[in-house]
Amino acid sequence: HVDTRKIPYNSLIDGDICIIGAGAAGVCIALDWMESGYKVILLEGGGFEYEQKMQDLYRGKSTGQKYYPLHGTRLHYFGGTTGHWAGMCSPFDEIDFMERDWVPESGWPYSKEDLDPFYAKAQEVLKLGPYEYDLEYWQKEEDDLTPFPLNDNIVYPKMWQFSQARFGKLYKEEVINAKSIHLYTYANVVDIVAEENMALIKELKIKNHEGKTHTVRANQFIMACGAIQNARMLLASNSQVESGLGNGNDLVGRYFMEHLEIATGQLWLFNSFQDKLYTRWGEPRAELAITKEAQMEHKILNGTLSLTELSVAKHIVPRMELLQVDDYNEAVDRFFGNMADSEEKAKSDQTLNINKAYEFQIRIEQAPNPSSRITLGNEKDALGVPRIVFNWDLTELDKDSIRKINWIVGEEMGKANFGRVKLEKYLQDPDDYSWPSGTNAGWHHMGTTTLNNDPKKGVVDEHCQVHGIDNLYVAGSGCYPTSGTSNPTLTLVALSLKLSEHLKSKVKNKEVLIASS
């Protein structure tokens, strides 16, 4: 481990592989190269603990749909945003990888089956249980996992596991003690410099608050700073190409996607139900999901409905309103404080002191939208890098899908004579495409460097290599063409491990060619 604030000015750092960013994507790739015999440079912009001045580098201006303060949505120190994630994990569904004629820009260049081996490996990295997400498996492991008696050809229980992996604590010593991994902290990339032909990256310029600038050289470079910062870095590296690196088709920063997480209605059951399967704090737990066939029939996005006891939910303040504060630590205190307060108030709430009334909270993918994007503003941060202008933009398909998912579940509840669903007012008028002030997002940044083998449609190819630049890769959820309904981290790690395997093969093949010639 080297603190770049303590080495001589204008030092040269060189190695075989350079990974920019020590969050989930960067750390898992570094560990995957640990026994490779190559020198791996791992750059982390911050240190090992939360620092306000590091968070301030992430500030930006937001337009469009109301969003959280940008500098509070990602953590800028070793381990990255795993330092505050909830740990919910489930793989993307088969339909998420398919081209869907009702979802613009949908379709991955491979299937879920292609990712399955990397999902299994990601389970180990995230310290999860077995790579099993079928209810039948978990019913053999746990008692009383009883689903609602609905038509499982239409509505089924989607299973989740929970990770407690905080990469900053879990992998710190392993990274530092690995002879092949060279971790540099306070190493913020401020410029990416390409060769004259723009087909290869030559070097990086890194900088810290102490004013020291250093140069990093390697044979291969992997950007792993998160969807927003990866796009920002490419756009800001514009000294050689005005539009920024990899942005010849004006795609860098576009198609930013979130998961909409919002209260959509109430479920009233006719009789009390043992809800261990659907409980908010259970592991494993399930949410109500719509099958691939039903999604295709109704032409909707992929989403799930979770259940919160109505007695608790009525006291919960929407996160989008609760977390509009400047200090990250205050935001965390507010969030957990509101949850504890809601639980306490529910105990004395006689009006809803029953166990058959719930609030539906949806988690749904956002339709790819080129207007939902990251651009550069005129203001610069303390290191001289332009701050971002962030425009979160939702579509009619997003709203229609939320409405239809609740209708579908409501119809199935009625057919089963099991309960009734009451929609929130903002969903009752099918011609209303406005959004309520409490429209939450999951703090899940996806898109901005989307994956497509056609350079006119994506920033990176199927191997996550930036089109036209042979030694520059992007790791993480910024590569997602579509965002699925599952939280992004499990897929993020799986995709990063897939990238890593490809890069190992590429490097080995190059060495064989050189040796043979």
Side-chain angles (χ1 to χ4, degrees), residues 321-365:
E321 298 175 3
L322 188 69
L323 304 185
Q324 295 295 328
V325 293
D326 191 63
D327 181 75
Y328 164 77
N329 291 309
E330 181 184 350
V332 172
D333 290 343
R334 280 187 169 212
F335 175 75
F336 287 107
N338 179 240
M339 291 302 298
D341 185 56
S342 300
E343 297 276 0
E344 192 62 33
K345 287 180 178 177
K347 294 177 183 178
S348 58
D349 189 344
Q350 298 301 315
T351 61
L352 288 172
N353 190 19
I354 51 178
N355 60 349
K356 57 181 180 180
Y358 300 89
E359 179 182 82
F360 273 155
Q361 180 93 10
I362 200 165
R363 179 187 299 100
I364 189 170
E365 65 175 320

mmCIF file of all heavy atoms in Angstrom, residues 321-365:
data_model
loop_
_atom_site.group_PDB
_atom_site.id
_atom_site.type_symbol
_atom_site.label_atom_id
_atom_site.label_comp_id
_atom_site.label_asym_id
_atom_site.label_seq_id
_atom_site.Cartn_x
_atom_site.Cartn_y
_atom_site.Cartn_z
ATOM 1 N N GLU A 321 -37.376 12.331 0.047
ATOM 2 C CA GLU A 321 -37.588 13.532 0.844
ATOM 3 C C GLU A 321 -36.698 13.517 2.090
ATOM 4 O O GLU A 321 -36.146 14.546 2.488
ATOM 5 C CB GLU A 321 -39.066 13.633 1.246
ATOM 6 C CG GLU A 321 -40.010 13.755 0.056
ATOM 7 C CD GLU A 321 -41.478 13.731 0.465
ATOM 8 O OE1 GLU A 321 -41.752 13.675 1.679
ATOM 9 O OE2 GLU A 321 -42.336 13.754 -0.435
ATOM 10 N N LEU A 322 -36.529 12.359 2.672
ATOM 11 C CA LEU A 322 -35.798 12.231 3.931
ATOM 12 C C LEU A 322 -34.310 12.529 3.768
ATOM 13 O O LEU A 322 -33.677 13.103 4.658
ATOM 14 C CB LEU A 322 -35.977 10.810 4.469
ATOM 15 C CG LEU A 322 -35.459 10.507 5.874
ATOM 16 C CD1 LEU A 322 -36.316 11.224 6.911
ATOM 17 C CD2 LEU A 322 -35.479 8.998 6.126
ATOM 18 N N LEU A 323 -33.740 12.161 2.628
ATOM 19 C CA LEU A 323 -32.295 12.206 2.462
ATOM 20 C C LEU A 323 -31.800 13.421 1.690
ATOM 21 O O LEU A 323 -30.677 13.437 1.175
ATOM 22 C CB LEU A 323 -31.812 10.926 1.770
ATOM 23 C CG LEU A 323 -32.210 9.620 2.460
ATOM 24 C CD1 LEU A 323 -31.586 8.433 1.765
ATOM 25 C CD2 LEU A 323 -31.813 9.627 3.930
ATOM 26 N N GLN A 324 -32.628 14.462 1.590
ATOM 27 C CA GLN A 324 -32.195 15.690 0.935
ATOM 28 C C GLN A 324 -31.389 16.550 1.914
ATOM 29 O O GLN A 324 -31.773 17.664 2.271
ATOM 30 C CB GLN A 324 -33.407 16.456 0.394
ATOM 31 C CG GLN A 324 -34.171 15.756 -0.709
ATOM 32 C CD GLN A 324 -33.353 15.581 -1.986
ATOM 33 O OE1 GLN A 324 -32.503 16.410 -2.324
ATOM 34 N NE2 GLN A 324 -33.614 14.493 -2.709
ATOM 35 N N VAL A 325 -30.271 16.007 2.355
ATOM 36 C CA VAL A 325 -29.398 16.707 3.305
ATOM 37 C C VAL A 325 -27.981 16.708 2.746
ATOM 38 O O VAL A 325 -27.614 15.879 1.906
ATOM 39 C CB VAL A 325 -29.427 16.049 4.698
ATOM 40 C CG1 VAL A 325 -30.799 16.223 5.324
ATOM 41 C CG2 VAL A 325 -29.061 14.574 4.628
ATOM 42 N N ASP A 326 -27.149 17.630 3.236
ATOM 43 C CA ASP A 326 -25.818 17.820 2.676
ATOM 44 C C ASP A 326 -24.807 16.807 3.197
ATOM 45 O O ASP A 326 -23.876 16.436 2.505
ATOM 46 C CB ASP A 326 -25.321 19.242 2.992
ATOM 47 C CG ASP A 326 -24.068 19.589 2.205
ATOM 48 O OD1 ASP A 326 -24.145 19.621 0.970
ATOM 49 O OD2 ASP A 326 -23.008 19.790 2.829
ATOM 50 N N ASP A 327 -25.004 16.346 4.428
ATOM 51 C CA ASP A 327 -24.016 15.481 5.062
ATOM 52 C C ASP A 327 -24.445 14.023 4.978
ATOM 53 O O ASP A 327 -25.550 13.659 5.373
ATOM 54 C CB ASP A 327 -23.827 15.890 6.521
ATOM 55 C CG ASP A 327 -22.779 15.039 7.218
ATOM 56 O OD1 ASP A 327 -21.586 15.261 6.960
ATOM 57 O OD2 ASP A 327 -23.159 14.151 8.001
ATOM 58 N N TYR A 328 -23.558 13.177 4.491
ATOM 59 C CA TYR A 328 -23.867 11.760 4.316
ATOM 60 C C TYR A 328 -24.208 11.089 5.639
ATOM 61 O O TYR A 328 -25.147 10.298 5.736
ATOM 62 C CB TYR A 328 -22.684 11.048 3.650
ATOM 63 C CG TYR A 328 -22.745 9.550 3.766
ATOM 64 C CD1 TYR A 328 -23.601 8.815 2.951
ATOM 65 C CD2 TYR A 328 -21.981 8.871 4.704
ATOM 66 C CE1 TYR A 328 -23.679 7.439 3.070
ATOM 67 C CE2 TYR A 328 -22.050 7.493 4.824
ATOM 68 C CZ TYR A 328 -22.901 6.779 4.006
ATOM 69 O OH TYR A 328 -22.982 5.419 4.127
ATOM 70 N N ASN A 329 -23.436 11.392 6.688
ATOM 71 C CA ASN A 329 -23.677 10.751 7.980
ATOM 72 C C ASN A 329 -25.043 11.123 8.541
ATOM 73 O O ASN A 329 -25.721 10.294 9.157
ATOM 74 C CB ASN A 329 -22.567 11.127 8.968
ATOM 75 C CG ASN A 329 -21.236 10.502 8.585
ATOM 76 O OD1 ASN A 329 -21.156 9.302 8.360
ATOM 77 N ND2 ASN A 329 -20.200 11.319 8.475
ATOM 78 N N GLU A 330 -25.457 12.363 8.308
ATOM 79 C CA GLU A 330 -26.789 12.779 8.739
ATOM 80 C C GLU A 330 -27.855 12.007 7.963
ATOM 81 O O GLU A 330 -28.887 11.610 8.530
ATOM 82 C CB GLU A 330 -26.981 14.279 8.535
ATOM 83 C CG GLU A 330 -28.346 14.777 9.000
ATOM 84 C CD GLU A 330 -28.574 16.250 8.706
ATOM 85 O OE1 GLU A 330 -27.612 16.946 8.316
ATOM 86 O OE2 GLU A 330 -29.743 16.695 8.858
ATOM 87 N N ALA A 331 -27.615 11.779 6.677
ATOM 88 C CA ALA A 331 -28.564 11.025 5.860
ATOM 89 C C ALA A 331 -28.729 9.605 6.393
ATOM 90 O O ALA A 331 -29.848 9.091 6.486
ATOM 91 C CB ALA A 331 -28.092 10.997 4.402
ATOM 92 N N VAL A 332 -27.614 8.963 6.757
ATOM 93 C CA VAL A 332 -27.671 7.598 7.299
ATOM 94 C C VAL A 332 -28.450 7.583 8.613
ATOM 95 O O VAL A 332 -29.308 6.722 8.840
ATOM 96 C CB VAL A 332 -26.249 7.043 7.505
ATOM 97 C CG1 VAL A 332 -26.296 5.718 8.258
ATOM 98 C CG2 VAL A 332 -25.557 6.845 6.160
ATOM 99 N N ASP A 333 -28.157 8.558 9.473
ATOM 100 C CA ASP A 333 -28.864 8.641 10.758
ATOM 101 C C ASP A 333 -30.356 8.851 10.542
ATOM 102 O O ASP A 333 -31.185 8.260 11.251
ATOM 103 C CB ASP A 333 -28.291 9.777 11.605
ATOM 104 C CG ASP A 333 -26.885 9.470 12.107
ATOM 105 O OD1 ASP A 333 -26.493 8.291 12.086
ATOM 106 O OD2 ASP A 333 -26.173 10.425 12.501
ATOM 107 N N ARG A 334 -30.703 9.690 9.581
ATOM 108 C CA ARG A 334 -32.118 9.934 9.291
ATOM 109 C C ARG A 334 -32.807 8.667 8.812
ATOM 110 O O ARG A 334 -33.936 8.368 9.222
ATOM 111 C CB ARG A 334 -32.251 11.019 8.212
ATOM 112 C CG ARG A 334 -32.097 12.446 8.697
ATOM 113 C CD ARG A 334 -32.426 13.384 7.563
ATOM 114 N NE ARG A 334 -32.547 14.755 8.002
ATOM 115 C CZ ARG A 334 -33.366 15.641 7.437
ATOM 116 N NH1 ARG A 334 -34.133 15.284 6.425
ATOM 117 N NH2 ARG A 334 -33.421 16.878 7.869
ATOM 118 N N PHE A 335 -32.154 7.948 7.922
ATOM 119 C CA PHE A 335 -32.758 6.750 7.347
ATOM 120 C C PHE A 335 -33.044 5.709 8.421
ATOM 121 O O PHE A 335 -34.181 5.239 8.560
ATOM 122 C CB PHE A 335 -31.847 6.164 6.268
ATOM 123 C CG PHE A 335 -32.331 4.859 5.713
ATOM 124 C CD1 PHE A 335 -33.394 4.816 4.828
ATOM 125 C CD2 PHE A 335 -31.736 3.663 6.077
ATOM 126 C CE1 PHE A 335 -33.863 3.614 4.312
ATOM 127 C CE2 PHE A 335 -32.178 2.453 5.581
ATOM 128 C CZ PHE A 335 -33.247 2.432 4.695
ATOM 129 N N PHE A 336 -32.017 5.345 9.175
ATOM 130 C CA PHE A 336 -32.212 4.307 10.192
ATOM 131 C C PHE A 336 -33.068 4.811 11.347
ATOM 132 O O PHE A 336 -33.816 4.038 11.961
ATOM 133 C CB PHE A 336 -30.860 3.807 10.697
ATOM 134 C CG PHE A 336 -30.143 2.940 9.689
ATOM 135 C CD1 PHE A 336 -29.032 3.420 9.012
ATOM 136 C CD2 PHE A 336 -30.597 1.667 9.398
ATOM 137 C CE1 PHE A 336 -28.385 2.624 8.071
ATOM 138 C CE2 PHE A 336 -29.953 0.863 8.464
ATOM 139 C CZ PHE A 336 -28.838 1.354 7.798
ATOM 140 N N GLY A 337 -32.989 6.107 11.637
ATOM 141 C CA GLY A 337 -33.835 6.673 12.675
ATOM 142 C C GLY A 337 -35.305 6.614 12.321
ATOM 143 O O GLY A 337 -36.152 6.271 13.161
ATOM 144 N N ASN A 338 -35.618 6.894 11.043
ATOM 145 C CA ASN A 338 -37.009 6.838 10.596
ATOM 146 C C ASN A 338 -37.537 5.408 10.618
ATOM 147 O O ASN A 338 -38.692 5.162 10.984
ATOM 148 C CB ASN A 338 -37.141 7.433 9.196
ATOM 149 C CG ASN A 338 -38.558 7.396 8.650
ATOM 150 O OD1 ASN A 338 -38.826 6.792 7.626
ATOM 151 N ND2 ASN A 338 -39.480 8.050 9.351
ATOM 152 N N MET A 339 -36.685 4.432 10.232
ATOM 153 C CA MET A 339 -37.112 3.041 10.257
ATOM 154 C C MET A 339 -37.429 2.599 11.687
ATOM 155 O O MET A 339 -38.466 1.970 11.950
ATOM 156 C CB MET A 339 -36.019 2.144 9.659
ATOM 157 C CG MET A 339 -35.825 2.315 8.162
ATOM 158 S SD MET A 339 -37.337 1.995 7.211
ATOM 159 C CE MET A 339 -37.617 0.278 7.609
ATOM 160 N N ALA A 340 -36.536 2.945 12.627
ATOM 161 C CA ALA A 340 -36.757 2.556 14.024
ATOM 162 C C ALA A 340 -37.993 3.247 14.586
ATOM 163 O O ALA A 340 -38.791 2.636 15.320
ATOM 164 C CB ALA A 340 -35.523 2.917 14.856
ATOM 165 N N ASP A 341 -38.171 4.518 14.227
ATOM 166 C CA ASP A 341 -39.328 5.286 14.702
ATOM 167 C C ASP A 341 -40.631 4.689 14.166
ATOM 168 O O ASP A 341 -41.637 4.605 14.882
ATOM 169 C CB ASP A 341 -39.181 6.745 14.263
ATOM 170 C CG ASP A 341 -40.281 7.634 14.818
ATOM 171 O OD1 ASP A 341 -40.460 7.666 16.044
ATOM 172 O OD2 ASP A 341 -40.961 8.298 14.006
ATOM 173 N N SER A 342 -40.614 4.264 12.901
ATOM 174 C CA SER A 342 -41.811 3.679 12.289
ATOM 175 C C SER A 342 -42.188 2.368 12.961
ATOM 176 O O SER A 342 -43.372 2.095 13.207
ATOM 177 C CB SER A 342 -41.569 3.451 10.786
ATOM 178 O OG SER A 342 -41.284 4.663 10.129
ATOM 179 N N GLU A 343 -41.185 1.547 13.262
ATOM 180 C CA GLU A 343 -41.439 0.286 13.953
ATOM 181 C C GLU A 343 -42.029 0.534 15.337
ATOM 182 O O GLU A 343 -42.957 -0.161 15.774
ATOM 183 C CB GLU A 343 -40.130 -0.505 14.088
ATOM 184 C CG GLU A 343 -39.502 -0.932 12.773
ATOM 185 C CD GLU A 343 -40.086 -2.217 12.228
ATOM 186 O OE1 GLU A 343 -40.992 -2.777 12.878
ATOM 187 O OE2 GLU A 343 -39.635 -2.660 11.149
ATOM 188 N N GLU A 344 -41.511 1.533 16.027
ATOM 189 C CA GLU A 344 -41.980 1.827 17.383
ATOM 190 C C GLU A 344 -43.409 2.362 17.372
ATOM 191 O O GLU A 344 -44.252 1.946 18.179
ATOM 192 C CB GLU A 344 -41.040 2.839 18.042
ATOM 193 C CG GLU A 344 -41.249 3.010 19.537
ATOM 194 C CD GLU A 344 -41.008 1.730 20.327
ATOM 195 O OE1 GLU A 344 -40.141 0.928 19.914
ATOM 196 O OE2 GLU A 344 -41.713 1.533 21.352
ATOM 197 N N LYS A 345 -43.695 3.272 16.435
ATOM 198 C CA LYS A 345 -45.042 3.834 16.354
ATOM 199 C C LYS A 345 -46.069 2.765 15.975
ATOM 200 O O LYS A 345 -47.225 2.825 16.400
ATOM 201 C CB LYS A 345 -45.074 4.981 15.344
ATOM 202 C CG LYS A 345 -44.385 6.247 15.828
ATOM 203 C CD LYS A 345 -44.461 7.352 14.780
ATOM 204 C CE LYS A 345 -43.811 8.633 15.294
ATOM 205 N NZ LYS A 345 -43.816 9.710 14.271
ATOM 206 N N ALA A 346 -45.650 1.790 15.179
ATOM 207 C CA ALA A 346 -46.572 0.734 14.752
ATOM 208 C C ALA A 346 -47.065 -0.094 15.925
ATOM 209 O O ALA A 346 -48.180 -0.615 15.907
ATOM 210 C CB ALA A 346 -45.896 -0.163 13.721
ATOM 211 N N LYS A 347 -46.222 -0.210 16.966
ATOM 212 C CA LYS A 347 -46.598 -1.024 18.126
ATOM 213 C C LYS A 347 -47.812 -0.457 18.848
ATOM 214 O O LYS A 347 -48.610 -1.202 19.423
ATOM 215 C CB LYS A 347 -45.417 -1.120 19.090
ATOM 216 C CG LYS A 347 -44.224 -1.876 18.541
ATOM 217 C CD LYS A 347 -43.071 -1.868 19.542
ATOM 218 C CE LYS A 347 -41.837 -2.569 18.969
ATOM 219 N NZ LYS A 347 -40.700 -2.519 19.926
ATOM 220 N N SER A 348 -47.952 0.860 18.833
ATOM 221 C CA SER A 348 -49.055 1.495 19.552
ATOM 222 C C SER A 348 -50.166 1.978 18.629
ATOM 223 O O SER A 348 -51.073 2.693 19.058
ATOM 224 C CB SER A 348 -48.520 2.682 20.371
ATOM 225 O OG SER A 348 -47.874 3.607 19.523
ATOM 226 N N ASP A 349 -50.083 1.583 17.362
ATOM 227 C CA ASP A 349 -51.084 2.019 16.380
ATOM 228 C C ASP A 349 -52.257 1.042 16.390
ATOM 229 O O ASP A 349 -52.226 -0.016 15.762
ATOM 230 C CB ASP A 349 -50.448 2.083 14.993
ATOM 231 C CG ASP A 349 -51.362 2.732 13.967
ATOM 232 O OD1 ASP A 349 -52.578 2.856 14.243
ATOM 233 O OD2 ASP A 349 -50.874 3.125 12.894
ATOM 234 N N GLN A 350 -53.297 1.392 17.112
ATOM 235 C CA GLN A 350 -54.448 0.497 17.256
ATOM 236 C C GLN A 350 -55.305 0.438 15.993
ATOM 237 O O GLN A 350 -56.030 -0.520 15.760
ATOM 238 C CB GLN A 350 -55.307 0.949 18.446
ATOM 239 C CG GLN A 350 -54.569 0.898 19.778
ATOM 240 C CD GLN A 350 -54.075 -0.499 20.115
ATOM 241 O OE1 GLN A 350 -54.806 -1.469 19.968
ATOM 242 N NE2 GLN A 350 -52.818 -0.600 20.547
ATOM 243 N N THR A 351 -55.203 1.460 15.139
ATOM 244 C CA THR A 351 -56.060 1.491 13.943
ATOM 245 C C THR A 351 -55.667 0.410 12.941
ATOM 246 O O THR A 351 -56.485 -0.038 12.148
ATOM 247 C CB THR A 351 -55.989 2.864 13.261
ATOM 248 O OG1 THR A 351 -54.636 3.114 12.841
ATOM 249 C CG2 THR A 351 -56.428 3.967 14.213
ATOM 250 N N LEU A 352 -54.378 0.012 12.960
ATOM 251 C CA LEU A 352 -53.924 -1.004 12.000
ATOM 252 C C LEU A 352 -53.181 -2.125 12.710
ATOM 253 O O LEU A 352 -52.228 -2.689 12.204
ATOM 254 C CB LEU A 352 -53.008 -0.355 10.953
ATOM 255 C CG LEU A 352 -53.708 0.561 9.943
ATOM 256 C CD1 LEU A 352 -52.684 1.289 9.087
ATOM 257 C CD2 LEU A 352 -54.648 -0.229 9.048
ATOM 258 N N ASN A 353 -53.610 -2.430 13.892
ATOM 259 C CA ASN A 353 -52.958 -3.484 14.681
ATOM 260 C C ASN A 353 -53.455 -4.855 14.225
ATOM 261 O O ASN A 353 -54.087 -5.597 14.962
ATOM 262 C CB ASN A 353 -53.222 -3.268 16.168
ATOM 263 C CG ASN A 353 -52.365 -4.187 17.017
ATOM 264 O OD1 ASN A 353 -51.362 -4.709 16.550
ATOM 265 N ND2 ASN A 353 -52.773 -4.373 18.268
ATOM 266 N N ILE A 354 -53.183 -5.151 12.965
ATOM 267 C CA ILE A 354 -53.617 -6.413 12.360
ATOM 268 C C ILE A 354 -52.477 -6.948 11.510
ATOM 269 O O ILE A 354 -51.542 -6.233 11.159
ATOM 270 C CB ILE A 354 -54.872 -6.213 11.479
ATOM 271 C CG1 ILE A 354 -54.643 -5.052 10.486
ATOM 272 C CG2 ILE A 354 -56.102 -5.956 12.312
ATOM 273 C CD1 ILE A 354 -55.801 -4.815 9.564
ATOM 274 N N ASN A 355 -52.526 -8.213 11.151
ATOM 275 C CA ASN A 355 -51.439 -8.807 10.378
ATOM 276 C C ASN A 355 -51.915 -9.267 9.005
ATOM 277 O O ASN A 355 -51.483 -10.290 8.493
ATOM 278 C CB ASN A 355 -50.808 -9.976 11.141
ATOM 279 C CG ASN A 355 -51.817 -11.069 11.442
ATOM 280 O OD1 ASN A 355 -53.021 -10.871 11.266
ATOM 281 N ND2 ASN A 355 -51.328 -12.217 11.895
ATOM 282 N N LYS A 356 -52.817 -8.504 8.431
ATOM 283 C CA LYS A 356 -53.264 -8.855 7.078
ATOM 284 C C LYS A 356 -53.372 -7.628 6.170
ATOM 285 O O LYS A 356 -54.012 -7.686 5.126
ATOM 286 C CB LYS A 356 -54.598 -9.590 7.130
ATOM 287 C CG LYS A 356 -55.740 -8.836 7.814
ATOM 288 C CD LYS A 356 -57.001 -9.700 7.821
ATOM 289 C CE LYS A 356 -58.155 -8.968 8.507
ATOM 290 N NZ LYS A 356 -59.387 -9.784 8.519
ATOM 291 N N ALA A 357 -52.734 -6.517 6.543
ATOM 292 C CA ALA A 357 -52.737 -5.303 5.733
ATOM 293 C C ALA A 357 -51.290 -4.894 5.462
ATOM 294 O O ALA A 357 -50.486 -4.780 6.388
ATOM 295 C CB ALA A 357 -53.480 -4.178 6.449
ATOM 296 N N TYR A 358 -50.969 -4.687 4.188
ATOM 297 C CA TYR A 358 -49.601 -4.404 3.792
ATOM 298 C C TYR A 358 -49.557 -3.244 2.794
ATOM 299 O O TYR A 358 -50.525 -2.971 2.088
ATOM 300 C CB TYR A 358 -48.961 -5.624 3.131
ATOM 301 C CG TYR A 358 -48.902 -6.842 4.015
ATOM 302 C CD1 TYR A 358 -49.958 -7.751 4.049
ATOM 303 C CD2 TYR A 358 -47.788 -7.094 4.808
ATOM 304 C CE1 TYR A 358 -49.908 -8.875 4.857
ATOM 305 C CE2 TYR A 358 -47.735 -8.214 5.623
ATOM 306 C CZ TYR A 358 -48.793 -9.096 5.645
ATOM 307 O OH TYR A 358 -48.749 -10.209 6.451
ATOM 308 N N GLU A 359 -48.388 -2.604 2.729
ATOM 309 C CA GLU A 359 -48.127 -1.653 1.656
ATOM 310 C C GLU A 359 -47.248 -2.341 0.619
ATOM 311 O O GLU A 359 -46.304 -3.062 0.966
ATOM 312 C CB GLU A 359 -47.398 -0.421 2.188
ATOM 313 C CG GLU A 359 -47.071 0.598 1.091
ATOM 314 C CD GLU A 359 -46.312 1.790 1.615
ATOM 315 O OE1 GLU A 359 -45.069 1.690 1.767
ATOM 316 O OE2 GLU A 359 -46.953 2.825 1.893
ATOM 317 N N PHE A 360 -47.579 -2.141 -0.653
ATOM 318 C CA PHE A 360 -46.729 -2.611 -1.738
ATOM 319 C C PHE A 360 -45.654 -1.558 -2.015
ATOM 320 O O PHE A 360 -45.960 -0.372 -2.159
ATOM 321 C CB PHE A 360 -47.538 -2.819 -3.018
ATOM 322 C CG PHE A 360 -48.177 -4.172 -3.134
ATOM 323 C CD1 PHE A 360 -49.311 -4.328 -3.922
ATOM 324 C CD2 PHE A 360 -47.652 -5.287 -2.502
ATOM 325 C CE1 PHE A 360 -49.911 -5.566 -4.060
ATOM 326 C CE2 PHE A 360 -48.256 -6.531 -2.623
ATOM 327 C CZ PHE A 360 -49.388 -6.668 -3.406
ATOM 328 N N GLN A 361 -44.422 -2.000 -2.108
ATOM 329 C CA GLN A 361 -43.308 -1.151 -2.549
ATOM 330 C C GLN A 361 -42.725 -1.810 -3.779
ATOM 331 O O GLN A 361 -42.292 -2.968 -3.720
ATOM 332 C CB GLN A 361 -42.257 -1.031 -1.449
ATOM 333 C CG GLN A 361 -41.051 -0.177 -1.805
ATOM 334 C CD GLN A 361 -41.195 1.264 -1.384
ATOM 335 O OE1 GLN A 361 -42.116 1.600 -0.669
ATOM 336 N NE2 GLN A 361 -40.299 2.123 -1.820
ATOM 337 N N ILE A 362 -42.706 -1.093 -4.889
ATOM 338 C CA ILE A 362 -42.200 -1.690 -6.117
ATOM 339 C C ILE A 362 -40.710 -1.418 -6.271
ATOM 340 O O ILE A 362 -40.196 -0.404 -5.801
ATOM 341 C CB ILE A 362 -42.956 -1.164 -7.358
ATOM 342 C CG1 ILE A 362 -42.786 -2.120 -8.544
ATOM 343 C CG2 ILE A 362 -42.499 0.253 -7.724
ATOM 344 C CD1 ILE A 362 -43.748 -1.895 -9.678
ATOM 345 N N ARG A 363 -40.018 -2.363 -6.864
ATOM 346 C CA ARG A 363 -38.666 -2.160 -7.367
ATOM 347 C C ARG A 363 -38.723 -2.539 -8.835
ATOM 348 O O ARG A 363 -39.030 -3.687 -9.172
ATOM 349 C CB ARG A 363 -37.640 -3.014 -6.635
ATOM 350 C CG ARG A 363 -36.207 -2.840 -7.150
ATOM 351 C CD ARG A 363 -35.226 -3.819 -6.538
ATOM 352 N NE ARG A 363 -35.170 -3.641 -5.102
ATOM 353 C CZ ARG A 363 -35.818 -4.408 -4.232
ATOM 354 N NH1 ARG A 363 -36.579 -5.403 -4.673
ATOM 355 N NH2 ARG A 363 -35.738 -4.197 -2.944
ATOM 356 N N ILE A 364 -38.434 -1.602 -9.700
ATOM 357 C CA ILE A 364 -38.636 -1.855 -11.119
ATOM 358 C C ILE A 364 -37.510 -1.253 -11.936
ATOM 359 O O ILE A 364 -36.959 -0.203 -11.581
ATOM 360 C CB ILE A 364 -40.006 -1.288 -11.579
ATOM 361 C CG1 ILE A 364 -40.341 -1.726 -13.010
ATOM 362 C CG2 ILE A 364 -40.063 0.221 -11.428
ATOM 363 C CD1 ILE A 364 -41.771 -1.393 -13.418
ATOM 364 N N GLU A 365 -37.162 -1.950 -13.011
ATOM 365 C CA GLU A 365 -36.139 -1.418 -13.901
ATOM 366 C C GLU A 365 -36.636 -0.137 -14.558
ATOM 367 O O GLU A 365 -37.840 0.077 -14.726
ATOM 368 C CB GLU A 365 -35.783 -2.448 -14.980
ATOM 369 C CG GLU A 365 -36.912 -2.783 -15.947
ATOM 370 C CD GLU A 365 -36.475 -3.718 -17.067
ATOM 371 O OE1 GLU A 365 -35.360 -3.558 -17.598
ATOM 372 O OE2 GLU A 365 -37.273 -4.619 -17.413
#
